[in-house]
Amino acid sequence: MQVPALAFLEMSRPLNRVAAQALYFFQPVASLALTGDDYNRFARFLEKSGSIDYLCRRIEDLAADASASPPTANKQSAAEPHAAAVSRE
């Protein structure tokens, strides 16, 4: 999902200020479903010139962290399945 997200952000780079203005325009409708100040904070964030660069760097950092640490699965030792089978009997 990293590559499509970065491609979308790079393609929408020239439109980030327009998107912020669109968010302000749709705020009355969005306030029916969304609560809090997060919507306005996101619109203000998009108005800033380095916002897309920040989002791209953040996605790349999170992807690097995810690939650096492999996911931990619930691994059972060889003795645990045997102990579970004995306890069922």
Side-chain angles (χ1 to χ4, degrees):
M1 290 302 296
Q2 172 194 1
V3 174
L6 290 174
F8 175 76
L9 286 172
E10 290 295 333
M11 287 187 303
S12 65
R13 183 183 300 271
L15 300 174
N16 68 329
R17 289 195 176 113
V18 174
Q21 294 304 311
L23 286 174
Y24 287 130
F25 179 78
F26 290 113
Q27 181 181 9
V29 175
S31 66
L32 297 173
L34 303 172
T35 59
D37 191 45
D38 292 336
Y39 188 84
N40 289 331
R41 286 184 13 207
F42 184 64
R44 286 191 305 268
F45 172 76
L46 284 180
E47 286 181 338
K48 297 180 182 178
S49 62
S51 61
I52 301 296
D53 292 329
Y54 173 78
L55 287 175
C56 291
R57 280 193 315 270
R58 186 70 179 135
I59 289 172
E60 290 169 350
D61 291 344
L62 290 173
D65 290 345
S67 66
S69 61
T72 57
N74 292 335
K75 297 179 183 177
Q76 295 179 342
S77 68
E80 288 177 352
H82 177 67
V86 171
S87 66
R88 287 186 214 152
E89 295 175 356

